[in-house]
Amino acid sequence: MTSTGKRLLILAVIAAAAFVLGRLAVRGALNLLVGGTLFGGDFL
């Protein structure tokens, strides 16, 4: 595998992890704002 391909693969993994963590952070913040599981916990 070329170094460019390896770099793209690493970037894809980091992007996926950042996306998941970002969604969890947003969900946690909304949870605090609306007072827990007001929307049944599946608001997002």
Side-chain angles (χ1 to χ4, degrees):
M1 184 179 273
T2 64
S3 62
T4 305
K6 206 176 286 186
R7 190 173 293 146
L8 284 176
L9 183 67
I10 292 172
L11 276 176
V13 170
I14 291 175
F19 176 73
V20 171
L21 286 177
R23 286 209 31 136
L24 284 177
V26 167
R27 184 178 298 216
L30 277 177
N31 244 356
L32 287 176
L33 284 176
V34 301
T37 54
L38 184 66
F39 295 99
D42 262 346
F43 187 46
L44 283 179

